[in-house]
Amino acid sequence: MALANHFYQNLAGSYLFSEIAKRVNKYSAENPDKKIIRLGIGDVTKPLPPSVIAALHKAVDEQATAEGFRGYGPEQGYDFLRETIVNDCFAQFGFEKDEIFVSDGAKSDIGNFQELFDISCKVAITDPVYPVYADSNVMAGRAEAQKDGRFQGIIYLSCTSENNFVPELPKERPDIIYLCYPNNPTGTVLTKEQLKIWVDYARANESIILFDSAYEAFIRTPGIPHSIYEIEGAKECAVEFRSYSKIAGFTGLRCGYVVIPRNLSLKTKNGGSAALRDLWLRRQTTKYNGTPYVVQRAAQAVHGEQGKKEVKELIDAYLLNAKHIREGFANMGLTVYGGVDAPYVWLKLPINDSWKFFDELLNQVNIVGTPGQGFGLCGEGYFRLTAFGSYENTLEAVERLKKFKF
Amino acid sequence: MALANHFYQNLAGSYLFSEIAKRVNKYSAENPDKKIIRLGIGDVTKPLPPSVIAALHKAVDEQATAEGFRGYGPEQGYDFLRETIVNDCFAQFGFEKDEIFVSDGAKSDIGNFQELFDISCKVAITDPVYPVYADSNVMAGRAEAQKDGRFQGIIYLSCTSENNFVPELPKERPDIIYLCYPNNPTGTVLTKEQLKIWVDYARANESIILFDSAYEAFIRTPGIPHSIYEIEGAKECAVEFRSYSKIAGFTGLRCGYVVIPRNLSLKTKNGGSAALRDLWLRRQTTKYNGTPYVVQRAAQAVHGEQGKKEVKELIDAYLLNAKHIREGFANMGLTVYGGVDAPYVWLKLPINDSWKFFDELLNQVNIVGTPGQGFGLCGEGYFRLTAFGSYENTLEAVERLKKFKF
């Protein structure tokens, strides 16, 4: 019998959201009359904005005619979208369109990107963290399971209320540093000064920062960096991942992109160097066949004047939800973080058992959240709520909280 | 500086189709008045069929309303599509919907699937071959470059006019066997008896066959197997990859799927076994976020009564092109293969230099094809033409051939 990739055996038994789904399904089956409000998984609920819908219909009509039909597109994305992105967001930092690589979403990009690095590379992640950063590296063989649920070979950067969720520089040098701001799951942000410490560190240590800015559009506080390239020197050490999922409701439409500075390189075993951009292009041309044309037209519409207006309304609505959730739990006497420049509210629990809190919240008031433990050791004792529900459901959830005893 | 995945250094310098594009662009720039007919890359040219367009518009409209909106879908595909696929194509072999995994296309699936196997697994591929089979394994470290353009560590199964393009069983046992029928690039097919030899071999040797049937809809000869599961015992040894790209014009829309029999397993290092289906689900839930909802609705429409009628018309038209191409080159005195149950025509050249033939065909009559050498050592001396051009262009190409001297 052929041998399985044994690195897969190092993964934890169950993926966080599958476990949540299992518990919710069980409760639902046993209590079919209860209306469950889901503030757990980070999925949006509002429909696609009108500009996006119009762009989709138009692109579909093009695909119906011999003249307008587009088959295989460039694996790295159509020029029209790469140009739109660079002009709208990254030309100000000196980028050009061939440093933008379009994809079917940030999860694919972030999951696959580690493959460009040697298996020996050391990885640093914050804790708590979006599970894909660690899991994709475990599957590649860079880390092995430990008894405490962490992985040997990964450098953990603890983020708790003690350090105000600002990770400290590691003692051991990592090759790859995953940072996500606004943060998932804590909903916290870094100031320019705080982010500059990381950029300076990465430059001094020749580390590569993989910066996940999927939630940048939620930033409302002036001065908070939307892109890592607002920090001087970031083009020498950082790759940035962006997504249309949370901004414009693309979770079911699938589009994102990665910004790879032209001069960013890795060293090769023979003593030379390889441009990260070229490695990624090679990966994508071999194992990916481009983002659907109709979806790329939809993404382009997000950058238009009307699209921006609609997107701002969408995000304002979600941020209003976040405000209600914050207040609802604060009124219970819990300490709340995040939810100001991010769609996530991070609760500090009175007990150190976030799955117990999950079960209580589900059983008592039929609200689904995400146990902090699912995001890492440092997430234990915390709980994530998302602002992506409908306004009515969010208000009802807050109302139900008044009856919640914990 | 962080170290690059050094296995990437084993890849050949340039991907086949990029090299073709480079040569064509150079010729075009130097001869802007010449009309080039592209019969090289396997991209379709006919617009999406009306049923597919209607399904897309309908799904886009659903995404515009709060009630109809769908965000994250299941990574393995929506039940509506998995059920449609299994009922239409695989229930006859006893499959159920949870053995079907929907994706954004066969290239992604085939490129990523090797990751489920240990790095030590031995790979067999036919030669000539679709480059992704070899390249994705090289990038994973299963093979190293040799001077002759082949990779050390890969078992090559030669397919030439001498064995009528039917690969012979290998002397050394492979863990993984890639087979593609109808074949890209040769356009040839295997009979049930010929395919059964491989199924029997894989069962006896506990090898896994990765069967690429992206072109099955082009089969017109009665009795030729459309699916490997038509062969007894194939469920014990084979995974099948399917795509909507060439069937229904989805090259720019992106949808495919893989069929993984429930009982197919790999052994694990600790002496146990892991279901291939579970490994793939874990890979997809970590590094993929599902195929766009609108695209899955479009794929569903392909299986409808009207969709099937439209698809048959599409393919009939391409097969008519193939017939003209076959006859055009045969009239030149060349021996032609394929093009009967496949969209590819495979020429046997009078010289052993397919890039020279490429350049002559481009320079003399402005037709772009694909040099057989790009598909492997055994492809040298052959040349691939595709039937995916428009009817008018194909006829014009055949007309131009009358003036072609070689």
Side-chain angles (χ1 to χ4, degrees), chain A residues 40-268:
Chain A
I41 197 164
D43 198 4
V44 300
T45 52
K46 289 186 185 302
L48 289 170
S51 306
V52 169
I53 293 292
L56 281 169
H57 279 307
K58 185 163 174 283
V60 169
D61 281 334
E62 287 178 62
Q63 292 291 63
T65 66
E67 305 71 42
F69 179 75
R70 308 248 197 157
Y72 290 127
E75 285 90 346
Q76 63 272 36
Y78 277 105
D79 274 354
F80 68 76
L81 181 55
R82 300 172 90 194
E83 270 163 23
T84 299
I85 291 167
V86 88
N87 290 339
D88 194 28
C89 311
F90 295 97
Q92 57 182 311
F93 310 119
F95 282 99
E96 292 178 284
K97 71 163 192 272
D98 57 357
E99 294 168 287
I100 308 290
F101 296 81
V102 177
S103 75
D104 70 332
K107 186 178 172 191
S108 309
D109 280 346
I110 291 171
N112 293 325
F113 206 81
Q114 48 73 32
E115 162 182 342
L116 309 188
F117 294 83
D118 194 72
I119 192 175
S120 66
C121 285
K122 271 286 195 188
V123 172
I125 58 172
T126 55
D127 178 5
V129 76
Y130 176 51
V132 169
Y133 306 155
D135 287 355
S136 57
N137 279 288
V138 171
M139 289 155 92
R142 286 191 198 90
E144 286 191 21
Q146 286 176 182
K147 277 194 185 143
D148 64 358
R150 282 187 163 184
F151 295 102
Q152 198 182 359
I154 286 183
I155 300 164
Y156 288 90
L157 311 165
S158 300
C159 296
T160 64
S161 58
E162 279 79 45
N163 62 10
N164 210 21
F165 305 98
V166 179
E168 284 146 41
L169 294 173
K171 292 190 181 67
E172 184 188 357
R173 173 192 167 273
D175 294 290
I176 308 167
I177 302 164
Y178 288 88
L179 293 178
C180 171
Y181 290 98
N183 188 254
N184 174 17
T186 68
T188 57
V189 292
L190 291 188
T191 63
K192 278 188 187 167
E193 294 68 30
Q194 287 164 337
L195 191 51
K196 186 169 188 304
I197 290 170
W198 282 95
V199 169
D200 291 346
Y201 175 84
R203 289 170 70 190
N205 289 276
E206 297 193 329
S207 307
I208 301 281
I209 296 175
L210 301 183
F211 191 74
D212 182 349
S213 64
Y215 304 99
E216 62 82 22
F218 289 83
I219 296 170
R220 290 287 183 267
T221 304
I224 297 298
H226 288 244
S227 164
I228 196 166
Y229 302 117
E230 294 182 37
I231 313 301
E232 200 195 320
K235 284 177 83 171
E236 293 163 34
C237 64
V239 168
E240 183 162 317
F241 298 89
R242 291 246 179 141
S243 163
Y244 294 93
S245 285
K246 308 303 166 77
I247 296 176
F250 274 45
T251 52
L253 197 55
R254 313 301 319 141
C255 194
Y257 58 92
V258 47
V259 185
I260 312 177
R262 185 183 310 282
N263 294 324
L264 213 50
S265 290
L266 301 182
K267 69 177 173 199
T268 56

Side-chain angles (χ1 to χ4, degrees), chain B residues 253-301:
Chain B
L253 197 56
R254 313 301 318 139
C255 195
Y257 58 91
V258 46
V259 185
I260 311 178
R262 186 183 310 283
N263 294 325
L264 212 49
S265 290
L266 301 183
K267 70 176 173 199
T268 57
K269 270 213 164 156
N270 59 14
S273 73
L276 209 43
R277 210 167 60 106
D278 295 342
L279 292 169
W280 184 242
L281 185 62
R282 184 66 206 231
R283 194 268 163 210
Q284 295 296 80
T285 50
T286 305
K287 302 195 200 175
Y288 185 60
N289 228 338
T291 307
Y293 171 70
V294 299
V295 172
Q296 292 191 58
R297 283 294 183 198
Q300 186 185 27

Side-chain angles (χ1 to χ4, degrees), chain A residues 1-6 43 48 57 61 63 72 75 107 112 115-116 118 135 206 246 267 285 288, chain B residues 1-6 43 48 57 61 63 72 75 107 115-116 118 206 246 267 282 285 288:
Chain A
M1 208 189 281
L3 190 62
N5 175 348
H6 63 275
D43 198 4
L48 289 170
H57 279 307
D61 281 334
Q63 292 291 63
Y72 290 127
E75 285 90 346
K107 186 178 172 191
N112 293 325
E115 162 182 342
L116 309 188
D118 194 72
D135 287 355
E206 297 193 329
K246 308 303 166 77
K267 69 177 173 199
T285 49
Y288 185 60
Chain B
M1 207 190 284
L3 190 62
N5 175 347
H6 63 277
D43 197 4
L48 289 170
H57 278 307
D61 281 335
Q63 292 290 61
Y72 290 127
E75 285 90 347
K107 185 177 170 189
E115 163 182 340
L116 308 188
D118 195 72
E206 298 194 329
K246 308 303 167 75
K267 70 176 173 199
R282 184 66 206 231
T285 50
Y288 185 60

